[in-house]
Every structure is written in structure tokens, then in C-alpha cells.
Amino acid sequence: MIKLVGTGVWVLLVTLASVYFSLKMASAPKVDTAAAEHEAAMEFVTGYTTTIPVIGEAGVSGYLLTKLAYKANKDLAAKQVVPLPDMITDELYTLLVGKKMIDVADAGHFDLDAFRGVVKEGLNRRFGADVIQEVYIEQIDYLTTAAVEDPTPKGGKTLVKGEVPAAEPAEKSGGH
């Protein structure tokens, strides 16, 4: 009988200790209030899909399609006279056409991090404040003029997204 009571007390102590440590470990972590306030002051801004002509010696050689997104300071962005996506599109044209930041002929040497940095720096210089905190790349594509003039695929089969082949009716089981 004493062994049974001792075992019961031991199980009770182990259960209480495990519940105590589980609750202790599950408590909410301490939040850095400065970092939380900084993140609360940010908003995610999605830019437009921008088609930029790539001009070579013989004229337009292709088109660069870009879509960027940004983490921006809400308060500073709200103070801008021109809407943020429009200003961003204009700055992209300035950077990519005016300064020819991307050389499509030498695409193997494209530095994505440098591109993000130049876009961020150019936008913040244009805004006159540190409005843009981060630049995210959603899309960068290059289409040659030949691909635009003759968009038919060269071989392979074109599939339409969302198209499902019609299901054949199930045969009836039984007597015929």
C-alpha cells in the first residue's frame, strides 16, 4: 500500500513539474519594442508591371518587363505629392532607359543586389527622404522584338491554364 501511495505522489510531482515547465516555455517571447514600432511604420507597396523598351544601335531590340514591390515608410509615403507607384514607374524608366543600368546583351553579368540598391537609392533621392526601405523583385523578363512580332511558340503544345479535359460519362452497371 505504501508503494502505491509513493508511486501516486511521484506521478503527481512529475505531472505538476511538466505542466509548470510547459507553461513557462510557452509564454510569449519578449518583443523588441523599437523593432516592432519600426515594422508598424512600414507598408508594402506593389509597383506596376512596367514595360521598358531596350534601345540598341539599330533601334528597339526588345522590351524589359519589370514588376517590383517595396517596403516603404507609411508616414513619409503619405506626404508625397505624386502617388508612390507612379513615382516608382517614372524612376524605373529613368534608371533603366536613361542610365542604361541593364545591358541585355551581357545579361550574365547582371548584379541583382546592385540593381536593388540603385533603385532604392534613386527613389529615396527622388523623394528627398528614406521612404523606401527594401526593394523586392517580383518579375524581370526580356522579350526580343522577334518574339513580340511572331509570338507563336516554336514547337511544343500551348496549354491554356485552367482548362480541364471533359470527363467521360461513367458506364451504367447492370443489365444491358
Side-chain angles (χ1 to χ4, degrees):
M1 176 88 165
I2 294 180
K3 286 184 181 181
L4 184 61
V5 172
T7 304
V9 170
W10 179 78
V11 168
L12 179 67
L13 290 175
V14 169
T15 304
L16 288 175
S18 64
V19 169
Y20 172 77
F21 285 113
S22 296
L23 291 175
K24 185 83 167 162
M25 293 297 179
S27 64
K30 294 183 180 179
V31 177
D32 183 13
T33 56
E37 288 174 4
H38 181 269
E39 284 299 315
M42 295 295 143
E43 70 178 333
F44 189 77
V45 178
T46 302
Y48 302 130
T49 300
T50 308
T51 305
I52 301 169
V54 177
I55 302 170
E57 294 175 10
V60 176
S61 61
Y63 298 93
L64 188 68
L65 285 87
T66 63
K67 185 170 184 184
L68 305 177
Y70 310 89
K71 187 190 288 188
N73 186 308
K74 283 187 225 179
D75 299 330
L76 295 175
K79 293 178 184 176
Q80 301 303 315
V81 177
V82 178
L84 211 56
D86 295 332
M87 182 78 86
I88 288 168
T89 301
D90 182 63
E91 186 63 22
L92 280 175
Y93 270 96
T94 302
L95 290 171
L96 299 175
V97 176
K99 294 183 181 179
K100 293 193 181 216
M101 208 183 136
I102 296 178
D103 182 12
V104 178
D106 192 20
H109 292 90
F110 180 67
D111 186 1
L112 195 57
D113 290 330
F115 175 72
R116 283 185 179 125
V118 169
V119 169
K120 176 183 169 184
E121 180 183 309
L123 287 169
N124 285 335
R125 181 175 41 254
R126 184 96 177 253
F127 291 134
D130 285 339
V131 176
I132 305 298
Q133 297 297 314
E134 288 185 52
V135 176
Y136 302 100
I137 308 291
E138 288 189 37
Q139 171 187 2
I140 294 181
D141 291 322
Y142 178 74
L143 296 174
T144 62
T145 52
V148 174
E149 290 169 359
D150 183 19
T152 58
K154 308 292 188 233
K157 185 177 178 183
T158 303
L159 298 176
V160 178
K161 287 186 178 179
E163 183 175 289
V164 178
E168 295 182 22
E171 292 184 29
K172 292 182 180 179
S173 62
H176 294 154

